Amino acid sequence: MKLRTENLIKKYGSRTVVKGVSVEVEKGEIVGLLGPNGAGKTTMFRCILGLLNFEGSILVDGRDTRKEGKWVRENIGYLPQHSAPYDDLSVEDNLKFYAGIKGVKPQRVVETLKDIKLVRFRDRKARALSGGMKQKVALLRTIAFNSSILLLDEPFGSLDAITRSSLHLYLLDIWKKLGLTIIFTTHDIREAIFLSDRIYVLSKKPARITDCIKVNLPRPRK
């Protein structure tokens, strides 16, 4: 799916948070939104999902998100910056719960756990997981059960370096297999370069585009 924002503006009263942002993401691209903390990246995602009112327009495959809110939410996977699995459920049941919402067969959960070598953690309660592992399960909920657009809000920020690197590779593998369109936010320049086809650089709040950089490095990248 293709996504485009045109002159996106978000205000809270007299305070402007996002100022005239126009972004275009082609089908199958990975696009990074690179900017400092508090720049308005999360606000942009919330506008795309229809959770906030805004000025300008947001189109997904040519559909106006204001008029197609339900369709948009069904076809976009969103991982908030601070997301965690349900503490009282096991790893497998967390994934099955989300799979049920998305209409995915439970067997897909088992296949996913095998693919990412988490089968041995399938019965472990989420409350017993480390912070990094919780974030990994939350990321997998979003990646495994969506086949169109993924919005990932600093998905690797809370992970240690080794886990972060392994999830970078996992994300790229899933992206390649499923032909996903991915938009992610980060303030890590190295991460943006490693993952992205293009990088939109955002200013401090109010957020506006200061540059768009095409990453011409061949894949797979070192």
Side-chain angles (χ1 to χ4, degrees), residues 68-83:
E68 302 276 0
K70 184 176 183 293
W71 179 87
V72 167
R73 287 188 291 274
E74 289 175 349
N75 287 275
I76 294 180
Y78 174 52
L79 180 66
Q81 186 173 350
H82 301 291
S83 180

Side-chain angles (χ1 to χ4, degrees), residues 190-202:
R190 185 184 298 271
E191 180 173 86
I193 294 171
F194 183 74
L195 292 174
S196 304
D197 296 303
R198 287 185 298 125
I199 302 168
Y200 284 96
V201 183
L202 299 175

Side-chain angles (χ1 to χ4, degrees), residues 138-199:
L139 176 62
L140 291 171
R141 287 187 314 196
T142 309
I143 293 174
F145 309 124
N146 188 278
S147 59
S148 49
I149 295 178
L150 301 180
L151 304 181
L152 307 178
D153 195 357
E154 297 197 25
F156 311 110
S158 64
L159 304 176
D160 63 82
I162 294 175
T163 304
R164 186 186 306 127
S165 295
S166 68
L167 281 181
H168 285 167
L169 297 175
Y170 176 73
L171 178 63
L172 290 173
D173 184 53
I174 294 296
W175 163 73
K176 186 177 180 180
K177 286 179 180 177
L178 300 181
L180 299 171
T181 303
I182 297 175
I183 309 150
F184 74 100
T185 68
T186 184
H187 52 78
D188 185 321
I189 296 173
R190 185 184 298 271
E191 180 173 86
I193 294 171
F194 183 74
L195 292 174
S196 304
D197 296 303
R198 287 185 298 125
I199 302 168

Side-chain angles (χ1 to χ4, degrees), residues 5-220:
T5 72
E6 296 179 349
N7 194 34
L8 177 63
I9 298 172
K10 174 58 187 174
K11 297 179 179 178
Y12 291 101
S14 61
R15 182 168 62 96
T16 302
V17 179
V18 178
K19 187 176 183 180
V21 169
S22 296
V23 170
E24 190 159 342
V25 183
E26 297 294 336
K27 181 179 180 180
E29 266 195 315
I30 300 180
V31 169
L33 301 179
L34 178 66
N37 286 330
K41 303 185 293 295
T42 299
T43 299
M44 290 173 58
F45 276 0
R46 291 173 65 82
C47 289
I48 292 170
L49 291 164
L51 301 176
L52 297 174
N53 294 322
F54 58 88
E55 299 175 37
S57 65
I58 300 175
L59 304 174
V60 177
D61 267 5
R63 296 175 183 246
D64 188 330
T65 59
R66 285 193 179 95
K67 301 176 182 178
E68 302 276 0
K70 184 176 183 293
W71 179 87
V72 167
R73 287 188 291 274
E74 289 175 349
N75 287 275
I76 294 180
Y78 174 52
L79 180 66
Q81 186 173 350
H82 301 291
S83 180
Y86 296 108
D87 278 346
D88 292 332
L89 297 180
S90 67
V91 170
E92 182 175 351
D93 287 340
N94 263 282
L95 295 179
K96 283 184 176 179
F97 178 79
Y98 195 70
I101 294 174
K102 302 295 286 187
V104 176
K105 294 180 180 179
Q107 180 59 29
R108 177 76 176 277
V109 173
V110 178
E111 293 170 359
T112 300
L113 290 170
K114 289 180 180 178
D115 285 344
I116 48 101
K117 298 180 176 60
L118 276 183
V119 172
R120 64 193 179 98
F121 295 104
R122 63 190 296 177
D123 295 323
R124 187 169 299 184
K125 296 290 186 181
R127 71 166 72 90
L129 301 175
S130 66
M133 185 63 79
K134 285 183 179 181
Q135 183 67 3
K136 190 172 186 178
V137 173
L139 176 62
L140 291 171
R141 287 187 314 196
T142 309
I143 293 174
F145 309 124
N146 188 278
S147 59
S148 49
I149 295 178
L150 301 180
L151 304 181
L152 307 178
D153 195 357
E154 297 197 25
F156 311 110
S158 64
L159 304 176
D160 63 82
I162 294 175
T163 304
R164 186 186 306 127
S165 295
S166 68
L167 281 181
H168 285 167
L169 297 175
Y170 176 73
L171 178 63
L172 290 173
D173 184 53
I174 294 296
W175 163 73
K176 186 177 180 180
K177 286 179 180 177
L178 300 181
L180 299 171
T181 303
I182 297 175
I183 309 150
F184 74 100
T185 68
T186 184
H187 52 78
D188 185 321
I189 296 173
R190 185 184 298 271
E191 180 173 86
I193 294 171
F194 183 74
L195 292 174
S196 304
D197 296 303
R198 287 185 298 125
I199 302 168
Y200 284 96
V201 183
L202 299 175
S203 68
K204 293 180 180 180
K205 197 176 293 183
R208 50 189 183 77
I209 302 295
T210 62
D211 204 352
C212 180
I213 301 168
K214 184 172 179 61
V215 183
N216 291 316
L217 298 174
R219 298 183 187 275

